[in-house]
Amino acid sequence: MLSSIGIPGLILILIIALVIFGPSKLPEIGRAFGRTLSEFKTAAKDLTKDEEPVQSLEPAKTTEATKAMEPAKKEVS
């Protein structure tokens, strides 16, 4: 997506942003964008980490359930 913009297009976008927001607001906007991007990356990593343990806990729950049912099977026999 960004590879089609090129250097001249990027320079034009930066000049337009400088004219619209001014030199005092531009660093603040860049900082806010950087924080937002880092929070998004952190949240995405947390989501992928949360999914992995859930899959590994599924078999453990089934073995615990079968162990809990074993005494009931002995009483029936």
Side-chain angles (χ1 to χ4, degrees):
M1 184 172 135
L2 290 176
S3 62
S4 64
I5 292 176
I7 299 294
L10 189 60
I11 292 172
L12 182 65
I13 291 171
L14 291 174
I15 290 172
I16 291 171
L18 183 63
V19 169
I20 291 174
F21 297 113
S24 61
K25 288 284 184 182
L26 212 53
E28 294 174 22
I29 293 170
R31 236 178 270 119
F33 180 73
R35 286 185 195 135
T36 304
L37 190 61
S38 66
E39 287 178 13
F40 177 77
K41 286 181 180 180
T42 305
K45 286 180 184 177
D46 288 343
L47 283 175
T48 56
K49 287 181 182 178
D50 288 344
E51 291 177 3
E52 292 172 5
V54 170
Q55 293 173 355
S56 64
L57 289 177
E58 294 287 331
K61 288 181 182 177
T62 57
T63 56
E64 290 174 8
T66 54
K67 287 179 184 177
M69 293 178 69
E70 287 176 6
K73 288 180 183 177
K74 290 178 185 177
E75 292 175 7
V76 174
S77 303

